[in-house]
Amino acid sequence: QAFLHGNRDASFAEMAALLVSKARTLFELKRPQEIALLTAWAIATYFHPVFHTFSRLEITGERGSGKSKLQALLAQTCFNGLFMVNPTPAVLFRLAAALRPALCLDEIESLASEDHKELLAIINSGYKQGGTVARVEGEERQVVSYPVYAPMSLAGIKGLNAVTEDRAIVVVMQRSRDAQRLNAQILPDDPDWGQLRAWGYRLALTRFQEVRRAYEAVQLPAWLVGRERELWAALLPLGSWWIRRGTWGCATT
């Protein structure tokens, strides 16, 4: 509504600052830089069609370390975020094609079984633009291709298999020693989630050209090669661009 009525543009700084603030009240991560990483990943989901690849986010840690709570936070704040447990391949590729959502998959331990090869294939191919799933459908038996490129975070105790982990940035959670953080919950009716999503969608509508130019112009470090270069190609341009423009401000210092 604000966009349609010509109100001022949303601010990256406002969105980042609020997301960092919310995350700090909910989690105690091993490294403070991981708050900035999670914030950048969440905001970048609104621009993922601009990027050639979008890294999977692997969330691992012991029981009670807040993995599911982090997935709930991402589902509330990312582009078309969906929190899911044990989806079927058909559900996954149809949702990816229809909504291009940020898929937040919890309890991924079951993916290690032989029964989930098709699901893993979708997860592995969907981190890069161009991956599709073909199905024969309808009375005329026509071949329909479903694009599966979409942001995805995956949480579990045991972590991912080697092939999928190769496509992921890993965040290791730890159980907080702060009772206030342990007891804090993700409340779906918290108005901050709606505010964050509103800012994200407005930024996607009004600033995507700037993000595209930053993505095309950034000079990645020479030592960042191969798969690691693909994984960070979307996040580093955004991060460096925001820093140059003072967008982060004091949010992550």
Side-chain angles (χ1 to χ4, degrees):
Q1 289 297 319
F3 173 78
L4 291 173
H5 287 89
N7 293 13
R8 68 178 180 84
D9 285 347
S11 162
F12 281 108
E14 289 173 309
M15 188 176 183
L18 179 55
L19 188 48
V20 166
S21 175
K22 299 293 282 189
R24 283 177 172 166
T25 64
L26 293 164
F27 307 105
E28 184 177 324
L29 296 172
K30 289 186 176 182
R31 296 180 296 173
Q33 299 93 328
E34 289 177 327
I35 292 287
L37 165 64
L38 293 169
T39 300
W41 193 89
I43 295 175
T45 62
Y46 288 84
F47 300 91
H48 75 272
V50 170
F51 311 126
H52 302 309
T53 59
F54 201 91
S55 61
R56 294 339 195 176
L57 189 66
E58 178 187 356
I59 304 165
T60 186
E62 62 180 321
R63 294 181 187 279
S65 57
K67 300 181 297 298
S68 296
K69 187 159 68 174
L70 178 54
Q71 287 287 59
L73 171 71
L74 293 173
Q76 290 288 348
T77 56
C78 290
F79 178 80
N80 289 357
L82 293 175
F83 185 101
M84 306 183 75
V85 177
N86 197 27
T88 66
V91 166
L92 201 64
F93 68 70
R94 282 183 166 83
L95 283 174
L99 302 178
R100 299 298 175 93
L103 294 159
C104 306
L105 306 187
D106 202 22
E107 300 179 12
I108 60 168
E109 286 79 11
S110 61
L111 295 181
S113 70
E114 289 293 314
D115 298 333
H116 289 84
K117 284 185 176 180
E118 187 178 1
L119 193 61
L120 277 173
I122 296 169
I123 292 171
N124 291 340
S125 64
Y127 95 106
K128 180 182 290 190
Q129 285 203 33
T132 61
V133 170
R135 289 290 184 272
V136 177
E137 296 186 345
E139 294 182 2
E140 298 181 1
R141 309 305 292 166
Q142 292 183 336
V143 176
V144 179
S145 293
Y146 294 89
V148 292
Y149 174 60
M152 188 178 296
S153 60
L154 305 110
I157 295 173
K158 296 181 180 179
L160 300 167
N161 64 76
V163 175
T164 309
E165 191 170 77
D166 192 44
R167 292 159 168 77
I169 295 172
V170 181
V171 174
V172 180
M173 305 289 290
Q174 65 178 7
R175 188 177 177 86
S176 178
R177 293 165 291 182
D178 180 356
Q180 189 171 356
R181 284 192 177 101
L182 278 172
N183 295 329
Q185 300 181 36
I186 306 291
L187 301 176
D189 57 353
D190 185 337
D192 284 342
W193 307 136
Q195 179 63 78
L196 283 163
R197 291 192 298 270
W199 280 333
Y201 292 127
R202 287 168 60 199
L203 285 168
L205 288 167
T206 60
R207 310 290 289 278
F208 76 96
Q209 292 284 19
E210 295 174 66
V211 173
R212 185 191 299 276
R213 287 193 291 270
Y215 177 60
E216 293 172 348
V218 73
Q219 297 295 317
L220 296 174
W223 50 264
L224 196 61
V225 297
R227 187 61 61 97
E228 292 296 322
R229 195 176 184 88
E230 287 185 340
L231 294 181
W232 291 95
L235 300 185
L236 289 182
L238 281 174
S240 63
W241 180 56
W242 294 337
I243 290 170
R244 288 198 306 272
R245 297 170 70 95
T247 304
W248 285 110
C250 62
T252 57
T253 54

